[in-house]
């Protein structure tokens, strides 16, 4: 019974290593104009939120 666990873990290790595929590096895609617009809008919203928080904290 004490040999069952090491044997099982060895078999699982061998099976997973042989079934694994190699790592395929992802190819970056170009940004569309729509994505750039929404990123700019989100950036402006973040700056506006930071200014609002700074004003609230400065009042206290």
């Amino acid at each position: 019974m004490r040999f069952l666990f090491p044997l099982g873990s060895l078999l699982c290790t061998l099976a997973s290593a042989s079934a694994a595929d190699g790592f395929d590096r992802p190819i970056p895609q170009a940004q569309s104009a729509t994505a750039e617009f929404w990123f700019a809008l989100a950036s402006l919203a973040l700056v506006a939120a930071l200014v609002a928080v700074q004003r609230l904290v400065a009042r206290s």
Side-chain angles (χ1 to χ4, degrees), residues 25-47:
R25 192 175 198 131
I27 300 171
Q29 301 294 324
Q31 278 190 340
S32 64
T34 306
E36 289 181 5
F37 168 75
W38 284 112
F39 182 79
L41 190 67
S43 298
L44 292 174
L46 176 64
V47 170

Side-chain angles (χ1 to χ4, degrees), residues 1-33:
M1 193 64 159
R2 63 181 171 187
F3 297 110
L4 188 60
F5 179 71
L7 179 63
S9 63
L10 176 66
L11 290 176
C12 288
T13 304
L14 292 175
S16 63
S18 64
D21 290 335
F23 176 71
D24 292 331
R25 192 175 198 131
I27 300 171
Q29 301 294 324
Q31 278 190 340
S32 64

